[in-house]
Structure formats: C-alpha cells, structure tokens
Amino acid sequence: MQARHALATDPADAERCIAVAVRLLPQIDAAPASEPKAFAAPVMQRGGLAPWQVLRIKALVEARLAGRISSAEMAAAARLSPSHFSRAFRISFGDAPKAYVNRRRIARSKTMMLESGDSLAAIALACGLSDQAHFCRMFRRFEGMSPSVWRRLSGGASEAMETEADWPTAAVG
C-alpha cells in the first residue's frame, strides 16, 4: 500500500519500497511451513503500528541485532515521532522497544548455543551484548537459569561443553 501511494507522489520512494519487498520475499518463502513466519503480515491493532511498520521494525531489529539499536532509529524507520512510536510499539508488540530487542537477542543466543560450539563470550558479542557477564545476567532474567545450564539441558553444541574428564590432571608432587 505504501508503494502504491508513493508511486503517485514519489517514484523514488516507491522504488525503495519495492526493493525492500523483494528482499523480504525470499525470507518469507524460505521459512518452513511448520514454523510461524517471522515476516508474516501482522494484524493492524487500533492505536498500534501499521503492518508495514511492524515488518520494517522487525527487519531492522533482526539486521542490526549485533549492534546498537535506539528507539529513535526504530521510530525513524517507522516514520513516527519517538513518543508516538513508543506508544504504538507497545500496543503492537506488547512490550517496550528495548525489551523487545533484548528478547530477540536472547532468542538469537539460544539458537546460536544450540547450533554452534562458540563460547558464551563470543555469543554475547554476536548478539550485541557487551560481555559474557552482561549476557549471563540478561539470560537469567529472561530464562530463569544461566546460559551454560540452559545449553547443557537443551543438549546444544555438545562439543562446546567440557566435562571434568576433559581437564588435564595436575601432577602431584
């Protein structure tokens, strides 16, 4: 709809909208049918963000999860003032922008812990957290346990987990 409106008023903006849609389509089609599609068009809620704004914010957050993302940047992407954006975001997502970003960081870290043998420090940095201690505090707040315990219980990346048998024995002298 945004591209259609822009076509009559601003052809350059219409081309940009179409380019974004073309980039998002393969991601939507590639998702398995058993999983909910991350970029499926959301339902418009009264007072919330428009569906195109929700999709744009989700794409922005996923693309920039490893770095800093401010509410002002998200508001600019949705073409709203920061105060109006924060209110509409909370209606659409059920959370504040910062809490949503943190929730997405924890979700990505869980995927990384299951799929890779990377250290928790490396995963923390890849998910946009300052260090392993920050990652552990945030993970415990969201999941109720430390990331290493969660990884062990989930059976993820068994090569990353060390047991006491893996530790070298010290010579007693």
Side-chain angles (χ1 to χ4, degrees):
M1 289 179 61
Q2 181 186 3
R4 188 178 301 146
H5 179 280
L7 192 57
T9 58
D10 186 5
D13 189 37
E15 285 184 36
R16 188 189 49 72
C17 292
I18 292 169
V20 168
V22 167
R23 280 196 316 266
L24 290 176
L25 283 175
Q27 294 173 3
I28 293 170
D29 293 337
S34 61
E35 295 179 14
K37 294 189 178 188
F39 294 99
V43 177
M44 175 87 173
Q45 294 180 342
R46 185 171 175 88
L49 298 169
W52 70 267
Q53 291 169 317
V54 170
L55 292 175
R56 184 178 280 183
I57 296 304
K58 284 182 177 181
L60 173 70
V61 168
E62 292 304 316
R64 305 245 332 261
L65 211 50
R68 295 179 55 106
I69 308 168
S70 70
S71 292
E73 289 173 301
M74 289 190 274
R79 297 184 180 168
L80 295 172
S81 70
S83 61
H84 181 72
F85 171 76
S86 292
R87 183 184 58 76
F89 186 96
R90 192 176 294 270
I91 291 169
S92 295
F93 287 85
D95 233 340
K98 182 178 179 179
Y100 173 77
V101 170
N102 288 338
R103 207 172 296 287
R104 293 301 311 138
R105 286 184 169 140
I106 295 302
R108 180 172 291 174
S109 73
K110 289 164 75 174
T111 301
M112 290 179 73
M113 284 190 286
L114 290 174
E115 295 176 353
S116 76
D118 293 345
S119 69
L120 294 181
I123 291 172
L125 294 176
C127 292
L129 302 169
S130 57
D131 58 16
Q132 183 176 343
H134 181 213
F135 171 50
C136 290
R137 280 192 310 274
M138 185 179 294
F139 193 93
R140 187 180 300 273
R141 188 179 316 135
F142 281 94
E143 297 299 321
M145 65 182 77
S146 71
S148 59
V149 169
W150 184 91
R151 184 184 240 176
R152 202 172 319 120
L153 292 174
S154 300
S158 58
E159 65 274 0
M161 295 180 283
E162 296 179 359
T163 62
E164 289 183 26
D166 295 330
W167 289 90
T169 56
V172 179

Short mmCIF file of all heavy atoms in Angstrom, two decimals, residues 49-99:
data_model
loop_
_atom_site.label_atom_id
_atom_site.label_comp_id
_atom_site.label_asym_id
_atom_site.label_seq_id
_atom_site.Cartn_x
_atom_site.Cartn_y
_atom_site.Cartn_z
N LEU A 49 1.03 0.11 15.46
CA LEU A 49 1.75 0.35 14.22
C LEU A 49 1.02 -0.29 13.04
O LEU A 49 0.35 -1.32 13.21
CB LEU A 49 3.16 -0.23 14.31
CG LEU A 49 4.07 0.35 15.39
CD1 LEU A 49 5.32 -0.50 15.54
CD2 LEU A 49 4.43 1.79 15.08
N ALA A 50 1.18 0.29 11.88
CA ALA A 50 0.64 -0.29 10.66
C ALA A 50 1.43 -1.56 10.32
O ALA A 50 2.59 -1.69 10.73
CB ALA A 50 0.73 0.71 9.52
N PRO A 51 0.83 -2.49 9.61
CA PRO A 51 1.55 -3.72 9.25
C PRO A 51 2.90 -3.48 8.58
O PRO A 51 3.87 -4.16 8.89
CB PRO A 51 0.58 -4.44 8.32
CG PRO A 51 -0.77 -3.97 8.78
CD PRO A 51 -0.57 -2.54 9.17
N TRP A 52 2.98 -2.50 7.68
CA TRP A 52 4.26 -2.24 7.03
C TRP A 52 5.29 -1.75 8.04
O TRP A 52 6.48 -2.04 7.92
CB TRP A 52 4.12 -1.25 5.86
CG TRP A 52 3.81 0.17 6.25
CD1 TRP A 52 2.58 0.74 6.35
CD2 TRP A 52 4.76 1.19 6.58
NE1 TRP A 52 2.69 2.05 6.74
CE2 TRP A 52 4.02 2.35 6.88
CE3 TRP A 52 6.14 1.25 6.66
CZ2 TRP A 52 4.61 3.55 7.26
CZ3 TRP A 52 6.74 2.44 7.03
CH2 TRP A 52 5.98 3.58 7.32
N GLN A 53 4.85 -1.00 9.06
CA GLN A 53 5.77 -0.51 10.08
C GLN A 53 6.28 -1.66 10.95
O GLN A 53 7.47 -1.72 11.28
CB GLN A 53 5.09 0.54 10.95
CG GLN A 53 4.81 1.84 10.22
CD GLN A 53 3.91 2.77 11.01
OE1 GLN A 53 2.93 2.34 11.60
NE2 GLN A 53 4.25 4.05 11.00
N VAL A 54 5.39 -2.58 11.28
CA VAL A 54 5.79 -3.75 12.08
C VAL A 54 6.83 -4.56 11.32
O VAL A 54 7.88 -4.95 11.88
CB VAL A 54 4.57 -4.62 12.44
CG1 VAL A 54 4.99 -5.94 13.06
CG2 VAL A 54 3.63 -3.87 13.38
N LEU A 55 6.59 -4.81 10.05
CA LEU A 55 7.54 -5.57 9.24
C LEU A 55 8.88 -4.85 9.13
O LEU A 55 9.94 -5.47 9.22
CB LEU A 55 6.97 -5.82 7.84
CG LEU A 55 5.78 -6.78 7.78
CD1 LEU A 55 5.24 -6.84 6.36
CD2 LEU A 55 6.18 -8.15 8.26
N ARG A 56 8.84 -3.55 8.95
CA ARG A 56 10.07 -2.77 8.82
C ARG A 56 10.87 -2.79 10.14
O ARG A 56 12.08 -2.95 10.12
CB ARG A 56 9.74 -1.34 8.44
CG ARG A 56 10.99 -0.50 8.21
CD ARG A 56 10.66 0.88 7.78
NE ARG A 56 10.36 0.88 6.36
CZ ARG A 56 10.08 1.97 5.67
NH1 ARG A 56 10.03 3.14 6.26
NH2 ARG A 56 9.83 1.90 4.38
N ILE A 57 10.18 -2.68 11.26
CA ILE A 57 10.85 -2.70 12.57
C ILE A 57 11.46 -4.08 12.82
O ILE A 57 12.61 -4.20 13.26
CB ILE A 57 9.89 -2.31 13.70
CG1 ILE A 57 9.41 -0.86 13.53
CG2 ILE A 57 10.52 -2.52 15.07
CD1 ILE A 57 10.53 0.17 13.46
N LYS A 58 10.71 -5.14 12.53
CA LYS A 58 11.24 -6.50 12.71
C LYS A 58 12.48 -6.72 11.86
O LYS A 58 13.48 -7.27 12.33
CB LYS A 58 10.18 -7.55 12.37
CG LYS A 58 9.12 -7.71 13.42
CD LYS A 58 8.14 -8.81 13.02
CE LYS A 58 7.11 -9.04 14.09
NZ LYS A 58 6.16 -10.11 13.72
N ALA A 59 12.45 -6.28 10.62
CA ALA A 59 13.60 -6.44 9.73
C ALA A 59 14.79 -5.63 10.23
O ALA A 59 15.93 -6.11 10.21
CB ALA A 59 13.23 -6.03 8.31
N LEU A 60 14.55 -4.41 10.70
CA LEU A 60 15.62 -3.57 11.21
C LEU A 60 16.26 -4.21 12.44
O LEU A 60 17.49 -4.29 12.54
CB LEU A 60 15.08 -2.18 11.58
CG LEU A 60 16.07 -1.25 12.29
CD1 LEU A 60 17.16 -0.80 11.32
CD2 LEU A 60 15.34 -0.05 12.86
N VAL A 61 15.45 -4.69 13.36
CA VAL A 61 15.97 -5.30 14.58
C VAL A 61 16.78 -6.54 14.25
O VAL A 61 17.89 -6.72 14.75
CB VAL A 61 14.83 -5.62 15.57
CG1 VAL A 61 15.31 -6.50 16.71
CG2 VAL A 61 14.23 -4.33 16.11
N GLU A 62 16.27 -7.41 13.39
CA GLU A 62 17.00 -8.63 13.04
C GLU A 62 18.31 -8.31 12.33
O GLU A 62 19.32 -8.97 12.56
CB GLU A 62 16.13 -9.54 12.16
CG GLU A 62 14.95 -10.13 12.88
CD GLU A 62 15.29 -10.92 14.13
OE1 GLU A 62 16.25 -11.72 14.11
OE2 GLU A 62 14.62 -10.72 15.15
N ALA A 63 18.31 -7.29 11.48
CA ALA A 63 19.52 -6.94 10.73
C ALA A 63 20.58 -6.31 11.62
O ALA A 63 21.77 -6.46 11.37
CB ALA A 63 19.17 -5.98 9.59
N ARG A 64 20.16 -5.61 12.67
CA ARG A 64 21.11 -4.86 13.49
C ARG A 64 21.23 -5.40 14.91
O ARG A 64 21.67 -4.69 15.81
CB ARG A 64 20.65 -3.40 13.54
CG ARG A 64 20.47 -2.75 12.19
CD ARG A 64 21.40 -1.62 11.85
NE ARG A 64 21.89 -0.86 12.94
CZ ARG A 64 21.41 0.32 13.34
NH1 ARG A 64 20.38 0.86 12.75
NH2 ARG A 64 21.97 0.97 14.34
N LEU A 65 20.85 -6.63 15.14
CA LEU A 65 20.83 -7.21 16.47
C LEU A 65 22.22 -7.24 17.11
O LEU A 65 22.34 -7.13 18.32
CB LEU A 65 20.25 -8.62 16.42
CG LEU A 65 19.50 -9.10 17.64
CD1 LEU A 65 18.46 -8.11 18.12
CD2 LEU A 65 18.83 -10.43 17.36
N ALA A 66 23.26 -7.37 16.32
CA ALA A 66 24.61 -7.45 16.87
C ALA A 66 25.14 -6.09 17.30
O ALA A 66 26.13 -6.01 18.01
CB ALA A 66 25.56 -8.06 15.84
N GLY A 67 24.49 -5.02 16.90
CA GLY A 67 24.95 -3.67 17.25
C GLY A 67 23.94 -2.94 18.11
O GLY A 67 23.01 -3.52 18.66
N ARG A 68 24.14 -1.65 18.19
CA ARG A 68 23.22 -0.80 18.97
C ARG A 68 22.01 -0.44 18.11
O ARG A 68 22.14 -0.12 16.94
CB ARG A 68 23.92 0.46 19.43
CG ARG A 68 25.06 0.19 20.41
CD ARG A 68 25.73 1.49 20.80
NE ARG A 68 24.78 2.45 21.33
CZ ARG A 68 24.66 2.76 22.63
NH1 ARG A 68 25.45 2.20 23.49
NH2 ARG A 68 23.77 3.64 23.02
N ILE A 69 20.85 -0.46 18.74
CA ILE A 69 19.61 -0.05 18.08
C ILE A 69 18.88 0.84 19.05
O ILE A 69 18.50 0.41 20.14
CB ILE A 69 18.71 -1.25 17.74
CG1 ILE A 69 19.47 -2.32 16.98
CG2 ILE A 69 17.48 -0.79 16.96
CD1 ILE A 69 18.72 -3.64 16.87
N SER A 70 18.67 2.09 18.68
CA SER A 70 17.97 3.00 19.57
C SER A 70 16.49 3.09 19.18
O SER A 70 16.11 2.81 18.04
CB SER A 70 18.60 4.39 19.52
OG SER A 70 18.35 5.01 18.27
N SER A 71 15.69 3.51 20.13
CA SER A 71 14.27 3.71 19.86
C SER A 71 14.08 4.80 18.81
O SER A 71 13.16 4.74 17.99
CB SER A 71 13.52 4.09 21.13
OG SER A 71 13.49 3.01 22.01
N ALA A 72 14.96 5.80 18.83
CA ALA A 72 14.87 6.88 17.85
C ALA A 72 15.10 6.36 16.44
O ALA A 72 14.42 6.79 15.50
CB ALA A 72 15.88 7.97 18.18
N GLU A 73 16.03 5.43 16.27
CA GLU A 73 16.27 4.84 14.95
C GLU A 73 15.06 4.03 14.49
O GLU A 73 14.68 4.07 13.32
CB GLU A 73 17.50 3.93 14.98
CG GLU A 73 18.81 4.68 15.12
CD GLU A 73 19.97 3.72 15.33
OE1 GLU A 73 19.95 2.96 16.32
OE2 GLU A 73 20.88 3.75 14.48
N MET A 74 14.47 3.27 15.42
CA MET A 74 13.28 2.50 15.06
C MET A 74 12.13 3.42 14.71
O MET A 74 11.38 3.16 13.77
CB MET A 74 12.91 1.54 16.20
CG MET A 74 13.87 0.40 16.36
SD MET A 74 13.27 -0.87 17.49
CE MET A 74 13.82 -0.21 19.05
N ALA A 75 11.98 4.53 15.47
CA ALA A 75 10.92 5.49 15.18
C ALA A 75 11.12 6.11 13.80
O ALA A 75 10.15 6.28 13.04
CB ALA A 75 10.90 6.58 16.26
N ALA A 76 12.37 6.42 13.46
CA ALA A 76 12.65 6.99 12.14
C ALA A 76 12.31 5.99 11.04
O ALA A 76 11.77 6.37 9.99
CB ALA A 76 14.11 7.42 12.05
N ALA A 77 12.61 4.72 11.27
CA ALA A 77 12.29 3.69 10.26
C ALA A 77 10.78 3.56 10.07
O ALA A 77 10.32 3.26 8.98
CB ALA A 77 12.88 2.35 10.68
N ALA A 78 10.03 3.79 11.15
CA ALA A 78 8.57 3.71 11.06
C ALA A 78 7.94 5.04 10.66
O ALA A 78 6.72 5.14 10.53
CB ALA A 78 8.00 3.27 12.41
N ARG A 79 8.79 6.05 10.50
CA ARG A 79 8.35 7.40 10.12
C ARG A 79 7.37 7.98 11.14
O ARG A 79 6.33 8.53 10.78
CB ARG A 79 7.75 7.41 8.72
CG ARG A 79 8.75 7.03 7.66
CD ARG A 79 8.15 7.14 6.29
NE ARG A 79 9.16 6.77 5.31
CZ ARG A 79 8.88 6.55 4.06
NH1 ARG A 79 7.66 6.66 3.61
NH2 ARG A 79 9.84 6.21 3.22
N LEU A 80 7.74 7.85 12.42
CA LEU A 80 6.92 8.39 13.51
C LEU A 80 7.82 9.15 14.47
O LEU A 80 9.03 8.93 14.52
CB LEU A 80 6.23 7.26 14.28
CG LEU A 80 5.20 6.42 13.52
CD1 LEU A 80 4.77 5.23 14.37
CD2 LEU A 80 4.01 7.27 13.13
N SER A 81 7.21 10.03 15.27
CA SER A 81 7.98 10.69 16.32
C SER A 81 8.31 9.66 17.39
O SER A 81 7.59 8.66 17.55
CB SER A 81 7.16 11.83 16.93
OG SER A 81 6.08 11.30 17.69
N PRO A 82 9.40 9.85 18.13
CA PRO A 82 9.77 8.86 19.15
C PRO A 82 8.69 8.59 20.19
O PRO A 82 8.47 7.44 20.56
CB PRO A 82 11.02 9.48 19.80
CG PRO A 82 11.62 10.31 18.71
CD PRO A 82 10.44 10.87 17.96
N SER A 83 7.99 9.62 20.62
CA SER A 83 6.95 9.39 21.64
C SER A 83 5.76 8.62 21.07
O SER A 83 5.25 7.69 21.71
CB SER A 83 6.49 10.71 22.26
OG SER A 83 5.92 11.54 21.26
N HIS A 84 5.31 8.98 19.88
CA HIS A 84 4.20 8.26 19.27
C HIS A 84 4.62 6.82 18.94
O HIS A 84 3.85 5.87 19.13
CB HIS A 84 3.73 8.97 18.00
CG HIS A 84 2.57 8.31 17.33
ND1 HIS A 84 1.29 8.33 17.86
CD2 HIS A 84 2.51 7.57 16.20
CE1 HIS A 84 0.50 7.62 17.07
NE2 HIS A 84 1.21 7.16 16.05
N PHE A 85 5.85 6.66 18.47
CA PHE A 85 6.35 5.33 18.15
C PHE A 85 6.35 4.43 19.39
O PHE A 85 5.92 3.27 19.32
CB PHE A 85 7.77 5.42 17.57
CG PHE A 85 8.42 4.07 17.42
CD1 PHE A 85 8.07 3.23 16.39
CD2 PHE A 85 9.37 3.64 18.33
CE1 PHE A 85 8.66 1.97 16.26
CE2 PHE A 85 9.97 2.41 18.21
CZ PHE A 85 9.61 1.57 17.17
N SER A 86 6.86 4.92 20.51
CA SER A 86 6.92 4.10 21.73
C SER A 86 5.54 3.61 22.15
O SER A 86 5.37 2.45 22.52
CB SER A 86 7.57 4.89 22.87
OG SER A 86 8.93 5.12 22.58
N ARG A 87 4.55 4.49 22.09
CA ARG A 87 3.20 4.11 22.47
C ARG A 87 2.63 3.09 21.49
O ARG A 87 2.10 2.04 21.89
CB ARG A 87 2.29 5.34 22.52
CG ARG A 87 0.87 5.04 22.98
CD ARG A 87 -0.02 6.27 22.91
NE ARG A 87 -0.10 6.85 21.60
CZ ARG A 87 -0.82 6.35 20.59
NH1 ARG A 87 -1.51 5.26 20.75
NH2 ARG A 87 -0.84 6.94 19.42
N ALA A 88 2.77 3.34 20.20
CA ALA A 88 2.24 2.43 19.18
C ALA A 88 2.99 1.10 19.20
O ALA A 88 2.40 0.03 19.00
CB ALA A 88 2.34 3.08 17.81
N PHE A 89 4.30 1.14 19.46
CA PHE A 89 5.10 -0.09 19.53
C PHE A 89 4.59 -0.98 20.65
O PHE A 89 4.42 -2.18 20.48
CB PHE A 89 6.57 0.26 19.76
CG PHE A 89 7.49 -0.93 19.70
CD1 PHE A 89 8.15 -1.25 18.53
CD2 PHE A 89 7.69 -1.74 20.81
CE1 PHE A 89 8.99 -2.35 18.46
CE2 PHE A 89 8.53 -2.83 20.75
CZ PHE A 89 9.18 -3.14 19.58
N ARG A 90 4.35 -0.40 21.81
CA ARG A 90 3.88 -1.17 22.96
C ARG A 90 2.53 -1.82 22.67
O ARG A 90 2.29 -2.97 23.05
CB ARG A 90 3.78 -0.27 24.19
CG ARG A 90 3.58 -1.04 25.47
CD ARG A 90 3.59 -0.11 26.67
NE ARG A 90 4.88 0.52 26.90
CZ ARG A 90 5.82 0.01 27.66
NH1 ARG A 90 5.62 -1.15 28.26
NH2 ARG A 90 6.95 0.65 27.84
N ILE A 91 1.67 -1.14 21.93
CA ILE A 91 0.36 -1.71 21.57
C ILE A 91 0.55 -2.88 20.60
O ILE A 91 -0.06 -3.93 20.76
CB ILE A 91 -0.55 -0.63 20.95
CG1 ILE A 91 -0.95 0.39 22.03
CG2 ILE A 91 -1.79 -1.25 20.32
CD1 ILE A 91 -1.63 1.63 21.50
N SER A 92 1.43 -2.71 19.62
CA SER A 92 1.61 -3.74 18.60
C SER A 92 2.42 -4.94 19.08
O SER A 92 2.12 -6.08 18.72
CB SER A 92 2.32 -3.14 17.37
OG SER A 92 1.49 -2.18 16.76
N PHE A 93 3.45 -4.71 19.88
CA PHE A 93 4.36 -5.77 20.28
C PHE A 93 4.13 -6.25 21.72
O PHE A 93 4.67 -7.28 22.12
CB PHE A 93 5.81 -5.32 20.13
CG PHE A 93 6.29 -5.24 18.72
CD1 PHE A 93 6.07 -4.11 17.95
CD2 PHE A 93 6.97 -6.30 18.13
CE1 PHE A 93 6.52 -4.04 16.64
CE2 PHE A 93 7.41 -6.24 16.83
CZ PHE A 93 7.19 -5.10 16.08
N GLY A 94 3.37 -5.49 22.51
CA GLY A 94 3.11 -5.88 23.89
C GLY A 94 4.29 -5.66 24.80
O GLY A 94 4.32 -6.18 25.92
N ASP A 95 5.28 -4.92 24.36
CA ASP A 95 6.49 -4.68 25.12
C ASP A 95 7.09 -3.35 24.70
O ASP A 95 6.78 -2.83 23.62
CB ASP A 95 7.51 -5.79 24.81
CG ASP A 95 8.04 -6.45 26.05
OD1 ASP A 95 7.95 -5.86 27.15
OD2 ASP A 95 8.54 -7.58 25.93
N ALA A 96 7.98 -2.81 25.52
CA ALA A 96 8.72 -1.61 25.15
C ALA A 96 9.77 -1.98 24.09
O ALA A 96 10.19 -3.14 24.02
CB ALA A 96 9.40 -1.02 26.38
N PRO A 97 10.19 -1.02 23.26
CA PRO A 97 11.18 -1.33 22.22
C PRO A 97 12.46 -1.99 22.76
O PRO A 97 12.94 -2.97 22.20
CB PRO A 97 11.48 0.03 21.59
CG PRO A 97 10.24 0.82 21.81
CD PRO A 97 9.71 0.37 23.14
N LYS A 98 13.01 -1.47 23.86
CA LYS A 98 14.24 -2.04 24.41
C LYS A 98 14.02 -3.47 24.88
O LYS A 98 14.86 -4.35 24.64
CB LYS A 98 14.73 -1.18 25.58
CG LYS A 98 16.02 -1.67 26.17
CD LYS A 98 16.50 -0.77 27.29
CE LYS A 98 17.79 -1.31 27.86
NZ LYS A 98 18.30 -0.47 28.93
N ALA A 99 12.90 -3.74 25.52
CA ALA A 99 12.61 -5.10 25.99
C ALA A 99 12.45 -6.05 24.81
O ALA A 99 12.90 -7.20 24.87
CB ALA A 99 11.34 -5.10 26.85
#
